[in-house]
Amino acid sequence: MITLDERLRALRAVTAELAGQLRRHALAVDADPADLKPCLDLPAYDVIRQATTPERLTGKPLRIGRFTYSSASCAERAVSTLELARGDAGVLLACPGPALAGLLLDELGDAAQQELFHSRLADGATWSFFAMTEPDRGNDAANLETRLVPDGSGPYRLHGTKRYIGNGSRGSIGVVFARTGRGPLAIRAALVEVPAPGYRAHSLDMVGLRGARLSEISLDGVPVPADMLLGAHRSPARRGLWGALRAFNHMRVQVAAMAVGTGFALRELVGELRPSAPGVEEYAGRLEACRRLVYAAGTAVDLEPDGKGLPSTAKLTATRLAVEVGRWATGALGPAALVEHPLLEKWVRDVGGFEFMEGTTNIQRQHVARTHLKGGRAHGDPVDRGGLVRPRG
């Protein structure tokens, strides 16, 4: 059985305590995700930003007692994300900060680009965005249609449309993926600051996880200086999609953590309202097993950033279980439960959204299958690094 060491137990305890702050704002953010002013000063948000901003840029790593934590660790972020999502995943996703774009900057940004990006977010009230998904291509990064065109001796120009972009309508700085020509090596990521000429964004209607503020972005000749193209210091093979795929691998684990955290919230709600309901103990056990799978996947990413088998296994398992728990909770609390318990109704909507974040089930199955065919392991070996320990004997 996989357990946490003392350092990660401390992180888990603190974030579990902070989760209550997110839950208190859950229904308000769901009703009006544009109004986040009451949330911006939450200590929980401060911890999230501190945990996701590189220490070298702030000099202030996240510290809990005698322990220090790294913004680069997928395992650490999985532990904290899962506990915070037990409060509310929608409010967690609404937090201003580096988010997915920050992961990409860590992989592809040079020192000046990273400094610019994180300095823009330092006020705690600025959002970032990661723009890859397109209306006609979805998240098919290899075939995206947005173009990055040279403009004589001036800046490049972005042309295209991005859709389902988290915080796209309120983000002030982010990453846009586009192609400079044909072929996979022609795909580049550009750091874009807004407002900018030719940049327009509007929010989309959402059923669940409304705090993520999914948006559509229109790019009509948005200027991009050459020094804002990411990855120029890397080889052509590692300037575009390579960095995106690494970031997605990391985020799959975080999505899995949010799904499991929401599943725990649903199970705990049933346990409080109807502790004798059939399935209370069964789902407690299944969620605990899935939590340990998420922990293992986070450590696997830290050890092998390009390995997709275990992160994909965790993501598809967690999202499927969260939906199942939502259906069970609704049945366990009776026919009027969705009307009588607003958080139940919200979380049942939310769990359906995890399926579409960082790759659907079919995509995750392909990753697991390819890992197997290449002789890899979807479930990995026992690990004793990164704070996760599988006891012997």
Side-chain angles (χ1 to χ4, degrees):
M1 179 170 60
I2 294 175
T3 60
L4 301 183
D5 65 10
E6 183 182 1
R7 182 171 161 278
L8 290 184
R9 288 199 301 272
L11 177 63
R12 176 176 161 179
V14 167
T15 49
E17 183 176 351
L18 292 172
Q21 298 177 9
L22 304 189
R23 186 171 297 187
R24 286 194 289 273
H25 293 273
L27 295 176
V29 171
D30 184 65
D32 185 4
D35 182 17
L36 286 179
K37 188 175 180 180
C39 300
L40 296 182
D41 294 328
L42 290 176
Y45 271 18
D46 289 337
V47 168
I48 294 167
R49 287 189 291 268
Q50 195 173 11
T52 55
T53 303
E55 175 188 355
R56 66 183 181 281
L57 298 175
T58 64
K60 297 179 180 179
L62 177 63
R63 296 183 186 277
I64 298 174
R66 60 190 176 89
F67 301 114
T68 301
Y69 301 87
S70 168
S71 65
S73 172
C74 185
E76 292 175 11
R77 198 176 296 191
V79 170
S80 59
T81 295
L82 194 152
E83 296 305 322
L84 292 167
R86 291 175 82 160
D88 187 74
V91 183
L92 173 59
L93 288 168
C95 180
L100 182 55
L103 294 173
L104 188 75
L105 264 291
D106 290 344
E107 295 289 351
L108 295 183
D110 61 29
Q113 291 164 342
Q114 292 174 357
E115 173 66 28
L116 170 63
F117 176 78
H118 287 287
S119 66
R120 285 292 305 273
L121 303 173
D123 63 358
T126 300
W127 285 265
S128 63
F129 57 89
F130 183 100
M132 177 177 283
T133 310
E134 298 183 350
D136 297 326
R137 296 294 182 180
N139 216 22
D140 183 3
N143 292 300
L144 57 81
E145 297 176 340
T146 301
R147 295 174 295 117
L148 184 64
V149 182
D151 186 15
S153 59
Y156 288 79
R157 299 280 177 174
L158 278 167
H159 298 269
T161 302
K162 300 293 186 179
R163 188 177 290 172
Y164 310 123
I165 309 305
N167 295 313
S169 62
R170 60 186 170 199
S172 296
I173 189 167
V175 175
V176 178
F177 278 83
R179 61 171 59 256
T180 59
R182 302 179 64 86
L185 296 184
I187 295 174
R188 296 294 299 273
L191 186 60
V192 175
E193 295 185 86
V194 296
Y199 184 99
R200 299 186 306 278
H202 67 273
S203 301
L204 301 172
D205 292 335
M206 298 180 64
V207 174
L209 297 172
R210 289 172 175 160
R213 206 78 193 279
L214 295 187
S215 308
E216 180 169 296
I217 297 173
S218 298
L219 306 159
D220 185 12
V222 176
V224 178
D227 61 358
M228 289 296 100
L229 297 186
L230 304 183
H233 59 299
R234 292 192 176 275
S235 69
R238 297 198 168 192
R239 287 179 179 170
L241 289 183
W242 174 82
L245 294 175
R246 278 198 164 191
F248 285 152
N249 219 26
H250 194 297
M251 278 306 297
R252 285 186 189 105
V253 178
Q254 308 314 317
V255 174
M258 285 189 283
V260 175
T262 307
F264 268 114
L266 284 161
R267 182 268 168 198
E268 289 157 5
L269 182 64
V270 175
E272 292 170 6
L273 298 173
R274 194 184 169 200
S276 61
V280 168
E281 295 303 321
E282 174 191 347
Y283 280 107
R286 291 179 62 184
L287 286 163
E288 182 60 35
C290 199
R291 169 160 56 187
R292 294 177 186 278
L293 173 61
V294 171
Y295 290 167
T299 298
V301 171
D302 288 341
L303 297 175
E304 187 182 353
D306 297 314
K308 297 182 178 67
L310 194 51
S312 292
T313 300
K315 200 268 181 178
L316 67 87
T317 303
T319 53
R320 184 168 53 192
L321 178 59
V323 171
E324 183 180 338
V325 172
R327 292 172 179 166
W328 162 77
T330 303
L333 294 178
L338 294 175
V339 176
E340 295 173 347
H341 307 293
L343 280 175
L344 171 68
E345 190 272 337
K346 177 193 183 299
W347 290 334
V348 168
R349 284 187 281 111
D350 286 349
V351 293
F354 297 123
E355 163 71 9
F356 303 98
M357 298 174 67
E358 314 313 332
T360 60
T361 291
N362 285 342
I363 292 173
Q364 308 309 329
R365 286 172 174 164
Q366 289 179 28
H367 291 323
V368 173
R370 287 169 183 159
T371 299
H372 174 73
L373 291 173
K374 290 178 180 178
R377 291 176 297 276
H379 299 287
D381 291 325
V383 291
D384 57 4
R385 293 162 60 186
L388 294 175
V389 181
R390 180 174 294 173
R392 311 287 182 176

